[in-house]
Amino acid sequence: KYYDPHGTEVSGEANIMRFDKSRLANYLVKLYMPIAQKAKGHGMYIIMRPPGVCPQKILVGDYYQQYLMTVWDIVTKNDSILKNAGVVSIELANEPVNLTDANGQNTEWAMRDYFQPIVDMIRKNGFTGIIWVPGTGWQSNYRGYAKYPIKGYNIGYAVHDYVGWYGCSDNNANAASLMTSFRESV
């Protein structure tokens, strides 16, 4: 079992205990970029995300934010990534659920404070492509960004939409209803 620094058990894809910087750098060159180049050859765009998913609870300044900083620092210093910034884009994190400020409080600015330093570092490394910023609640809540947006250019918001979300289901597949429910989450 693996426990984060807050004493919460972390399992499955959220467990970063075996993360290795040198392995990421190696696979980026030998596996991920060749796959991206092949996709590019078929006219496709590539969205990269970090290995794994966010733990259930993350907070500004925590170990997982540092992990994301490490991952994106390695990736965005890669020459092939930099040269393909028009085709390769970055999804900062996958499905954060609960994100709080450094004091563990739910604040409107917590998402900005968590992801802005990562965006700033990526831009400092020279990556000019699109950066997709996640919302909380498995990428369904973006309210905090309305008042405290991520600053920069080529910023998008990575929205996930699954059957049963935003008031829609197999029995109620209504686009207008979905958009109304989504707007309420923004």
Side-chain angles (χ1 to χ4, degrees), residues 119-129 131 153-155:
V119 168
D120 293 344
M121 182 267 308
I122 288 169
R123 294 300 187 215
K124 184 179 174 194
N125 287 348
F127 182 78
T128 58
I131 298 173
Y153 60 93
N154 276 348
I155 302 295

Side-chain angles (χ1 to χ4, degrees), residues 4-184:
D4 72 16
H6 313 292
T8 304
E9 183 179 353
V10 180
S11 60
E13 285 187 81
N15 182 342
I16 61 171
M17 184 174 75
R18 289 186 166 79
F19 172 72
D20 181 284
K21 294 187 272 188
S22 62
R23 188 170 47 218
L24 173 61
N26 182 44
Y27 278 99
L28 182 61
V29 172
K30 292 183 178 178
L31 180 64
Y32 306 140
M33 279 314 299
I35 291 170
Q37 291 296 344
K38 189 164 181 93
K40 180 182 171 185
H42 290 285
M44 299 172 79
Y45 290 89
I46 296 92
I47 301 172
M48 297 184 89
R49 72 166 179 88
V53 298
C54 290
Q56 286 287 312
K57 183 176 181 183
I58 55 177
L59 63 140
V60 174
D62 72 356
Y63 76 101
Y64 200 78
Q65 186 181 30
Q66 294 310 308
Y67 162 74
L68 293 173
M69 292 284 282
T70 299
V71 166
W72 294 124
D73 190 44
I74 291 166
V75 171
T76 60
K77 285 181 176 173
N78 178 279
D79 287 337
S80 293
I81 295 292
L82 295 172
K83 289 176 187 170
N84 288 284
V87 176
V88 174
S89 60
I90 291 171
E91 184 174 350
L92 292 183
N94 188 44
E95 300 191 337
V97 181
N98 301 302
L99 192 163
T100 62
D101 67 15
N103 297 315
Q105 303 298 309
N106 289 315
T107 61
E108 292 179 312
W109 55 85
M111 290 190 295
R112 185 235 16 229
D113 289 359
Y114 198 89
F115 293 111
Q116 187 70 59
I118 302 168
V119 168
D120 293 344
M121 182 267 308
I122 288 169
R123 294 300 187 215
K124 184 179 174 194
N125 287 348
F127 182 78
T128 58
I130 298 169
I131 298 173
W132 299 101
V133 182
T136 57
W138 293 282
Q139 295 188 212
S140 66
N141 176 6
Y142 299 84
R143 286 182 190 95
Y145 293 129
K147 283 173 112 175
Y148 300 95
I150 299 293
K151 295 186 188 312
Y153 60 93
N154 276 348
I155 302 295
Y157 294 93
V159 177
H160 290 191
D161 181 13
Y162 302 103
V163 174
W165 283 22
Y166 305 115
C168 285
S169 67
D170 285 341
N171 298 325
N172 179 29
N174 181 305
S177 173
L178 183 140
M179 290 308 300
T180 298
S181 294
F182 175 72
R183 281 188 202 102
E184 290 171 0

